Amino acid sequence: MPKIDSHPTVWPKQPHTQAKHDILVRYLGAWFAIFGASPYYTGVNVIDGFAGPGKYEDDEPGSPVLALNTLLDHKDFAKYHDTRFNFIFNELHTERFESLQSVLADAQAQRSAWPANVKVTPSNQNFQQLAQQLLDSLGPGQRLAPTFAFIDPFGYQDVPMSTVRDLVGHPSCELFIYFDFNSVNRFATAGKVDDHFTALFGCDEYKNAPPAGDPTRSQFIHDLYARQLRKECGFAHVASFRMINATGHTGSYLFFCTQNAKAYDKMKEAMWAIAPDGDYRFDDRYSDQPMLFGNDANTGPLQDQLAEHFAGQTVTVETVIDYVLDTPFHSNQVRAKTLAPMQRAGRISSPNQKRKNTFPAGTLITFPAHD
Ligand SMILES: C[S@@+](CC[C@H](N)C(=O)[O-])C[C@H]1O[C@@H](n2cnc3c(N)ncnc32)[C@H](O)[C@@H]1O
């Protein structure tokens, strides 16, 4: 097989890889719970299109094992017996695929009895071929069952927007994709790899990026990719998370895309847990500082925004939560973290609240008009 990158078969895990895995595991925990308990879906897919060798140099698990363990060790897994979980782990590189197979075999051997509703399919091909194979396996008019696709290449090749669209660009499919910002930033206007970038974006507007050194160039590139994911694949919600490398520059972004507002909310919650300042980024330079996992967000800006947006209105707590979905905050930050301090500070009141500072369903909230 031709050399496909400069990494060895198994490579050391970078700090930002840990952050990526933390987001993945947190989100999948929520995703499995939603579909495992759903009476509407009998089967779901997890596609790890660039699965890697299954482990890192220090034997820490790669994304396939993390995804499997998140399901099998889920506290409610025993209740999910009516849902089939279909995992597809695809890796192109021959030696990495062999490593992946052996890691998966070990993971299965470690469980005394493998659950009948969990199927693992290793695959050794180019991601684009895998996507085509999956699409060809569907009957006329058929679409994939609810699918979480993790697309995690090293660079910008082999992830054309058209393949992403055909595979997951429809309701109940979700995408968590690595975007090689560093390469696009370096070469967007260099004319060197235009064929690859045109495929990656599904358009050639990246050629209009402001010149290198212009402070708006980075945002332009980020926003163009987000816009294309919405436009080409029809995703209603797109969240991004920035990875800053050891030199202090943006190396990559992870984009999460879904049609579902609840899924979007859950992913924002997973991302907040890794970036508790609410800035949706991870910086390799500070990776040795203890991670403050938790939900202690500074909601001051959200409090001000709500006071401004709902000034003079009385609305339900559900209306407030719907509004928050379109902000960087997530729904679990609304009641105790935002509305309760607002009430304590006299910034809101409620005509039907049974207990102060609590906001069960149906609670009405009055935001005073501006003076
Ligand atoms: C960033 S690594 C994956 C890491 C893994 N997802 C994890 O989190 O543990 C990218 C992997 O994609 C593989 N790869 C590269 N080109 C590929 C292609 N066209 N199709 C499938 N796999 C590919 C590489 O060999 C590499 O193992």
Side-chain angles (χ1 to χ4, degrees):
M1 115 141 343
K3 199 164 164 41
I4 56 178
D5 55 64
S6 58
H7 292 72
T9 303
V10 171
W11 59 91
K13 188 160 90 171
Q14 302 294 320
H16 58 257
T17 303
Q18 181 64 50
K20 173 173 71 182
H21 287 165
D22 287 339
I23 296 172
L24 179 71
V25 163
R26 277 171 184 266
Y27 180 73
L28 277 181
W31 192 82
F32 289 135
I34 292 167
F35 285 104
S38 166
Y40 306 111
Y41 298 101
T42 52
V44 297
N45 305 311
V46 174
I47 302 173
D48 192 343
F50 294 75
K55 62 179 180 183
Y56 287 82
E57 206 175 68
D58 55 3
D59 271 342
E60 287 235 28
S63 54
V65 174
L66 291 170
L68 276 175
N69 286 348
T70 303
L71 175 65
L72 299 173
D73 297 336
H74 198 290
K75 66 178 176 44
D76 291 329
F77 176 64
K79 296 182 193 160
Y80 303 160
H81 40 77
D82 288 337
T83 306
R84 277 177 297 102
F85 295 90
N86 183 28
F87 289 84
I88 300 171
F89 297 123
N90 180 63
E91 169 58 44
L92 173 62
H93 186 285
T94 309
E95 285 86 38
R96 289 183 194 143
F97 179 68
E98 283 164 9
S99 165
L100 173 64
Q101 281 186 302
S102 135
V103 167
L104 289 173
D106 284 352
Q108 297 194 338
Q110 273 166 24
R111 308 258 165 190
S112 50
W114 190 258
N117 61 331
V118 178
K119 185 172 171 217
V120 174
T121 309
S123 156
N124 178 208
Q125 56 190 323
N126 190 308
F127 169 67
Q128 294 193 61
Q129 285 170 337
L130 170 75
Q132 197 53 52
Q133 182 188 324
L134 290 170
L135 293 167
D136 290 346
S137 71
L138 301 170
Q142 261 192 331
R143 287 186 152 171
L144 284 185
T147 296
F148 177 86
F150 181 37
I151 300 186
D152 185 28
F154 275 132
Y156 51 83
Q157 297 186 27
D158 296 323
V159 274
M161 187 63 78
S162 56
T163 303
V164 173
R165 178 198 61 213
D166 293 348
L167 189 65
V168 290
H170 45 87
S172 74
C173 288
E174 299 180 1
L175 172 69
F176 191 38
I177 189 165
Y178 169 94
F179 175 63
D180 181 4
F181 172 85
N182 181 39
S183 298
V184 177
N185 187 36
R186 284 170 67 196
F187 303 126
T189 41
K192 284 186 180 169
V193 282
D194 283 2
D195 287 354
H196 287 301
F197 286 173
T198 300
L200 176 73
F201 284 95
C203 71
D204 65 2
E205 282 178 60
Y206 61 87
K207 293 179 183 171
N208 303 331
D214 186 305
T216 62
R217 180 177 170 91
S218 301
Q219 197 65 46
F220 178 96
I221 292 169
H222 168 279
D223 292 353
L224 177 61
Y225 194 61
R227 196 163 73 237
Q228 286 298 100
L229 287 166
R230 287 176 191 273
K231 188 174 144 208
E232 292 294 317
C233 307
F235 289 117
H237 306 280
V238 175
S240 66
F241 192 92
R242 183 148 74 108
M243 297 297 186
I244 300 171
N245 60 27
T247 59
H249 296 101
T250 304
S252 61
Y253 282 92
L254 291 165
F255 279 88
F256 172 72
C257 311
T258 181
Q259 310 255 16
N260 184 291
K262 189 171 171 190
Y264 178 57
D265 188 47
K266 288 286 172 205
M267 179 51 96
K268 284 197 295 179
E269 186 170 350
M271 289 177 169
W272 263 93
I274 313 308
D277 291 341
D279 51 6
Y280 287 83
R281 65 182 189 175
F282 180 84
D283 193 327
D284 275 355
R285 291 170 303 171
Y286 309 128
S287 60
D288 51 356
Q289 293 179 4
M291 184 94 88
L292 291 171
F293 286 118
N295 197 13
D296 288 332
N298 169 17
T299 61
L302 181 60
Q303 295 179 33
D304 294 344
Q305 196 175 333
L306 295 180
E308 176 71 30
H309 182 80
F310 291 110
Q313 298 181 49
T314 296
V315 295
T316 61
V317 66
E318 287 82 1
T319 301
V320 176
I321 288 173
D322 279 350
Y323 173 77
V324 169
L325 284 182
D326 288 326
T327 75
F329 292 85
H330 61 81
S331 61
N332 275 343
Q333 293 165 324
V334 173
R335 289 179 163 93
K337 303 282 175 195
T338 306
L339 294 176
M342 287 183 84
Q343 185 161 31
R344 284 195 289 273
R347 299 182 78 186
I348 56 170
S349 57
S350 171
N352 69 344
Q353 197 177 33
K354 295 216 169 62
R355 261 182 59 207
K356 277 212 157 187
N357 303 322
T358 59
F359 303 88
T363 305
L364 291 166
I365 298 157
T366 301
F367 293 82
H370 291 311
D371 296 332

